[in-house]
Amino acid sequence: MKAIARVLMATGLMVTATAASAHAGHDAGSGFASGLLHPMQGLDHLLAMASIGFWSVRQSSTLKNSTPLFVIGGMILGAGIAWGGFSLPGLEAGIALSVLLAGILIATMAKPPTVVGGTLVAAFMVFHGFAHATEMPAGAALVAYLAGFSIATLALTFVGRGLGALMQRTDYRFARVLGGVVAATGALLAAA
């Protein structure tokens, strides 16, 4: 139980510290550092990535094991769309919707087929990848920035997965409440 308390405290501190800066100041010098920091500086990105990791723990072994690939694949696809000069209508709504739906997936303990679950995860991440790419600081090296936000994205996903694994040993009501809180936050982000 002490491990759960520590993970919850660390998660709370991470969310609180980054929510205050919410996308401000991601020109951290190098492309890599900027990319690494960007996903950590927005509550929307933190919640979406950590929630997907949390949710993936209760999925089939195929979906659970392939979730990081769907996450990175969607992020890179979204970034490629942005860097290719294309637009992505409804970007902010798509990001907020990804948080809302990730919360619903957790709260309902939904277990879709691998193709459906993987497609949802990749689609969620397309919006986040597009946003990361459009907010790349001027002069940052593209490959370094991409590597930075890919590593940060995977780290957040695995933090969520670790919390999900801890929660599997406890009462499922906590996961349902957590999913409800994430979904409500997504709804608030969509309304803003």
Side-chain angles (χ1 to χ4, degrees):
M1 193 60 145
K2 288 181 183 179
I4 293 171
R6 281 185 281 211
V7 170
L8 289 174
M9 182 180 278
T11 304
L13 289 172
M14 193 168 72
V15 167
T16 303
T18 57
S21 62
H23 293 93
H26 31 287
D27 187 359
S30 78
F32 180 76
S34 295
L36 196 61
L37 290 175
H38 183 77
M40 308 289 187
Q41 293 179 324
L43 183 60
D44 49 359
H45 299 309
L46 282 169
L47 285 177
M49 294 162 200
S51 295
I52 287 169
F54 188 100
W55 168 79
S56 73
V57 170
R58 291 192 172 94
Q59 301 309 303
S60 69
S61 61
T62 303
L63 182 54
K64 178 183 174 182
N65 294 332
S66 59
T67 294
L69 297 174
F70 288 121
V71 167
I72 289 300
M75 292 287 289
I76 291 171
L77 177 60
I81 291 169
W83 289 327
F86 299 98
S87 65
L88 188 59
L91 177 63
E92 291 302 321
I95 290 172
L97 188 61
S98 74
V99 176
L100 172 68
L101 291 177
I104 290 171
L105 288 171
I106 292 170
T108 61
M109 296 187 184
K111 292 187 175 190
T114 299
V115 172
V116 173
T119 301
L120 274 174
V121 169
F124 293 169
M125 292 298 103
V126 165
F127 289 101
H128 292 272
F130 190 93
H132 292 338
T134 60
E135 295 174 2
M136 182 174 82
L142 187 138
V143 172
Y145 184 74
L146 177 66
F149 80 66
S150 295
I151 289 169
T153 296
L154 284 175
L156 289 169
T157 302
F158 281 106
V159 164
R161 189 177 270 197
L163 182 59
L166 285 172
M167 293 301 109
Q168 274 192 314
R169 299 182 196 140
T170 65
D171 191 332
Y172 286 119
R173 288 178 290 184
F174 178 80
R176 290 183 186 274
V177 169
L178 179 64
V181 169
V182 171
T185 303
L188 287 173
L189 290 170

